[in-house]
Amino acid sequence: MKRRDFLLGALATAPTAAVMGGASSLTRWDGVAYRKRHESRVVVSRADSYESPLVERIVEGVRLCGVSVAGRSVLLKPNLVEFDPQGVVNTDPRVVAAAIEAFRRLDAREVTVAEGPGHRRDNEYLLRASGLQSVLDQHRARYVDLNSDDVSALSLPSRFTSLGRLYFPQTVLKADLVVSMPKLKTHHWAGVTLSMKNLFGVIPGSVYGWPKNILHWAGIDESIVDINAALSMPRFAIIDGIVGMEGNGPIQGTPKHAGVLIFGEDPVAVDATAARLMRIDPTRVKHLRVAGDFLGNIDRENIVQAGEPIEALAQDFQVISRFSDLKGTG
Amino acid sequence: MMFPAGLQFLQRTQNADGGWGAVPDRQSNTEATALAVLALASCPEAKADHVERGLQWLVDLQNADGSWPLHRNTTYGSWTTAPATLALASFDDQRAHAIRGARWLLGHRGRSLGWLASLAYRLVPEKMAVRLDPDLRAWSWTADGFSWVEPTAYALIALKKLGADIGRSAGPHIREAERLLYDRMCSGGGWNHGNSNAYGVAIPPYPETTALALIALQDRQTETPNRASLERLVAMLSEAESGLSLSWAILCFSVRGLDVAVWQRRLVRCYATSGFLGETRVVALALLALSERIGPLRLALR
């Protein structure tokens, strides 16, 4: 929790807007952090339910994005922040199961599922209650608790926070391809939580705690950008938007059926597309707007859209009143 | 001996340097080593050499300022100072190291939210995203961080365990930390990581943090919030069980003198199903929970 989060809207947003709005490429990121391409491909795939042929959809999504998988070690990072039997907090385990199978079908050298839950330290409970343990057992997949993994420190190539460096799990740093697999959700402190915010989960709790509060003090939006800028290995995103969450996410929001999976190599473009599918203007989401300057593409004209058109699947996701200004088509 | 598999696990997975990793084949870390040492010391069948090497690892890793880092990769003082202090406080010949750890804890509490947040909380408390007392300070996960339930509970147990050895100056900090725990208690009792509500919606407690907080507050067990939290803990355990939650709960019940036989049998069955995912900390807590020697967590009643 961050001091700013406790304050009224005006008090809360002004300092961040000042910092991030004034971002300068000369001071805010090193050249190595810049990885924006001219164009980014994003695939939007219809999947009405979790009974849909998910393995085929994922294989198709990966292929349409032109991602090379054969012979690579793939790390799947779902969102398993907390468990609520009444809610849809986490990436559905059926999507994780399908991703394990899909990447194996694409000849990945190994597929590892890894997460560092943000609130609870009881991995045995979280894995079993969420249904992920059954998936791991059934598919004989390796799971790594990123909260307790061995770590290495990385200097941050961007400076939206004052953190300077962060410890990252070695399992993440050694992966050939990191696949962020978030749930399509709104977020009461960041506006949205998608493939970029999902990487909060790679920050090791054993170093930073449960919750990883240092990131909140440093600024949630700022931390999202710095973490994503620090991870230079090839990345991919698969967003579980079959059933998402609207309102007071990421834990206590309301389930919202959207019937969609979203794929892409550029996390900024994928998240911008996901925001548009929630009828949220990505240019008004702070971390997306800033990341769009140097990490990836946010503008429609730089995103090559494949699969279903956004307009065919877009749903009006509700946001808490503090974020009502995010609504729009962008 | 109710848990020979746990004893064998700990003796088999000790690293060559004398510590234990969070799971086997990981580098030694302070929390896992502190709990493993406590667990093995509670077990008459354990070979003394494992305990001695574990203690030596802890002593060697202690920083000059009295703190402990998480492991050799991170040299700065961390939240693991509390479990290390607790472990060493249980051995008479290591108490000097524990007292140094306690002094570091007393000088490194979490931060408050500051005057602006404090003012806002007093003027418009209903508009705050979460409801809490912004001025209370206890212990954090990271240096100069906000205070949370688990590091506060760990620190309270360690400090109370050392009692008079750390002097009267600890008293105000201990009492403030107790107030913080009660301030963060969930509606109806129990604790989660440290947020009882967000945007007016109650956030439920977890069994493991509830049990740990109750252990830290065991010397105040007649107070109404503690009784409500204990009842909540029992209710939570009936719905969800795991090695971590059952172990902490058994330790919590044990320090209160409650019968734990049923829970202990469930804990053993739980290990047979999951192996506790090979997590050193959970195996160690289970071994402690299944031993007859819970002295390390028993505090003097006021």
Side-chain angles (χ1 to χ4, degrees):
Chain A
M1 130 186 6
K2 180 182 178 184
R3 178 181 303 151
R4 193 185 63 230
D5 295 323
F6 294 83
L7 305 181
L8 300 176
L11 276 175
T13 54
T16 304
V19 170
M20 300 194 73
S24 152
S25 62
L26 293 176
T27 57
R28 293 290 179 184
W29 65 80
D30 298 336
V32 293
Y34 187 91
R35 60 186 78 114
K36 186 171 171 176
R37 319 164 179 189
H38 177 62
E39 282 184 340
S40 301
R41 177 175 287 263
V42 174
V43 175
V44 175
S45 178
R46 183 189 294 272
D48 290 326
S49 79
Y50 291 104
E51 310 310 316
S52 303
L54 299 177
V55 177
E56 289 73 17
R57 296 281 158 76
I58 293 173
V59 167
E60 181 187 58
V62 174
R63 283 185 173 148
L64 284 172
C65 291
V67 179
S68 168
V69 174
R72 299 168 93 177
S73 66
V74 175
L75 184 140
L76 305 179
K77 196 287 181 193
N79 186 209
L80 180 61
V81 63
E82 174 63 279
F83 178 70
D84 174 3
Q86 315 299 327
V88 290
V89 176
N90 304 313
T91 308
D92 193 283
R94 288 166 288 190
V95 177
V96 181
I100 294 169
E101 279 309 300
F103 282 100
R104 285 177 176 167
R105 207 177 276 186
L106 291 163
D107 294 325
R109 177 162 50 82
E110 65 175 353
V111 179
T112 300
V113 181
E115 165 65 312
H119 290 165
R120 290 189 72 163
R121 303 186 68 192
D122 193 342
N123 294 309
E124 181 187 356
Y125 165 75
L126 280 176
L127 289 171
R128 190 177 62 239
S130 67
L132 191 55
Q133 187 64 56
S134 296
V135 165
L136 298 168
D137 293 342
Q138 187 181 347
H139 294 268
R140 296 177 183 274
R142 174 177 172 243
Y143 178 82
V144 174
D145 173 27
L146 298 176
N147 281 327
S148 59
D149 201 20
D150 286 345
V151 297
S152 294
L154 288 188
S155 293
L156 299 177
S158 62
R159 288 171 290 278
F160 292 93
T161 67
S162 59
L163 294 169
R165 69 175 194 161
L166 279 172
Y167 287 92
F168 286 88
Q170 291 183 3
T171 300
V172 171
L173 298 177
K174 290 175 181 171
D176 296 330
L177 180 67
V178 171
V179 182
S180 180
M181 300 185 63
K183 194 86 170 162
L184 183 72
K185 293 192 289 189
T186 55
H187 191 286
H188 57 207
W189 286 335
V192 297
T193 173
L194 300 164
S195 76
M196 293 180 68
K197 171 68 172 65
N198 186 39
L199 293 189
F200 264 39
V202 308
I203 301 302
S206 58
V207 179
Y208 298 109
W210 291 259
K212 299 159 188 183
N213 193 226
I214 189 173
L215 304 178
H216 292 195
W217 279 96
I220 294 177
D221 290 289
E222 296 87 338
S223 296
I224 293 171
V225 176
D226 276 352
I227 290 168
N228 278 270
L231 295 176
S232 58
M233 76 285 287
R235 306 255 295 275
F236 194 67
I238 303 172
I239 298 183
D240 168 14
I242 297 174
V243 177
M245 178 186 282
E246 65 178 356
N248 185 18
I251 308 289
Q252 296 171 303
T254 306
K256 174 92 169 175
H257 180 266
V260 65
L261 293 170
I262 309 152
F263 307 93
E265 284 184 284
D266 175 350
V268 185
V270 170
D271 287 5
T273 302
R276 291 181 174 110
L277 280 157
M278 294 191 284
R279 297 217 167 102
I280 287 171
D281 181 351
T283 65
R284 300 179 195 173
V285 177
K286 285 175 198 159
H287 64 268
L288 292 180
R289 185 175 66 243
V290 173
D293 285 340
F294 73 111
L295 283 181
N297 287 304
I298 191 171
D299 297 326
R300 282 178 186 267
E301 54 268 31
N302 298 111
I303 298 175
V304 178
Q305 172 86 39
E308 302 283 339
I310 289 174
E311 291 69 25
L313 293 174
Q315 300 270 339
D316 188 15
F317 275 57
Q318 298 300 304
V319 294
I320 61 170
S321 58
R322 176 183 162 192
F323 285 115
S324 56
D325 64 330
L326 300 186
K327 296 299 292 183
T329 57
Chain B
M1 177 64 189
M2 291 185 70
F3 194 32
L7 172 61
Q8 290 158 15
F9 176 95
L10 291 181
Q11 295 191 151
R12 189 179 68 246
T13 58
Q14 186 171 25
N15 287 332
D17 64 6
W20 279 264
V23 292
D25 301 323
R26 292 282 193 276
Q27 73 174 125
S28 300
N29 92 43
T30 303
E31 184 196 33
T33 302
L35 294 177
V37 163
L38 279 178
L40 290 175
S42 75
C43 194
E45 296 87 349
K47 295 175 188 164
D49 175 58
H50 291 285
V51 176
E52 287 163 13
R53 290 171 53 221
L55 283 172
Q56 192 59 50
W57 186 89
L58 287 171
V59 168
D60 288 347
L61 199 68
Q62 187 172 27
N63 289 323
D65 63 5
S67 69
W68 273 267
L70 173 65
H71 43 50
R72 291 192 192 280
N73 262 15
T74 56
T75 54
Y76 51 84
S78 76
W79 62 274
T80 61
T81 298
T85 299
L86 172 63
L88 294 178
S90 303
F91 297 85
D92 288 341
D93 58 344
Q94 305 293 346
R95 217 163 164 87
H97 294 284
I99 290 169
R100 288 176 54 221
R103 293 202 170 117
W104 184 87
L105 286 170
L106 292 169
H108 291 80
R109 295 186 302 148
R111 63 164 78 169
S112 67
L113 286 174
W115 67 270
L116 190 58
S118 186
L119 185 65
Y121 263 90
R122 271 141 191 76
L123 294 176
V124 282
E126 72 283 359
K127 302 242 175 142
M128 298 297 106
V130 296
R131 286 183 200 147
L132 47 75
D133 185 334
D135 297 326
L136 290 174
R137 295 169 61 203
W139 283 276
S140 61
W141 292 104
T142 56
D144 202 29
F146 196 63
S147 304
W148 296 95
V149 167
E150 185 166 341
T152 294
Y154 258 141
L156 270 177
I157 297 168
L159 294 172
K160 289 181 178 181
K161 190 75 191 168
L162 286 166
D165 286 358
I166 52 174
R168 289 185 179 175
S169 62
H173 291 344
I174 288 174
R175 286 189 287 278
E176 184 173 354
E178 290 176 336
R179 287 203 303 278
L180 182 136
L181 285 182
Y182 288 127
D183 181 61
R184 304 289 186 84
M185 195 176 75
C186 297
S187 174
W191 286 265
N192 54 35
H193 54 280
N195 257 353
S196 63
N197 59 77
Y199 291 104
V201 180
I203 302 176
Y206 313 145
E208 64 273 18
T209 35
T210 296
L212 181 58
L214 283 171
I215 292 169
L217 296 167
Q218 64 184 272
D219 49 343
R220 300 181 60 166
Q221 59 185 275
T222 57
E223 295 198 9
T224 303
N226 289 14
R227 291 203 301 271
S229 296
L230 193 63
E231 290 171 10
R232 192 85 183 262
L233 175 59
V234 174
M236 284 190 280
L237 285 181
S238 68
E239 295 169 5
E241 58 184 56
S242 65
L244 186 67
S245 59
L246 280 169
S247 296
W248 276 126
I250 290 167
L251 291 165
C252 170
F253 298 152
S254 294
V255 297
R256 283 171 162 71
L258 302 175
D259 183 17
V260 294
V262 172
W263 304 109
Q264 286 180 321
R265 286 195 291 274
R266 283 172 63 171
L267 180 59
V268 172
R269 285 201 302 273
C270 194
Y271 182 77
T273 304
S274 70
F276 301 154
L277 307 182
E279 294 183 355
T280 304
R281 172 177 58 109
V282 183
V283 175
L285 286 169
L287 192 59
L288 200 55
L290 293 168
S291 77
E292 303 301 317
R293 301 181 180 187
I294 53 157
L297 295 175
R298 193 188 293 284
L299 307 173
L301 295 179
R302 290 182 193 177

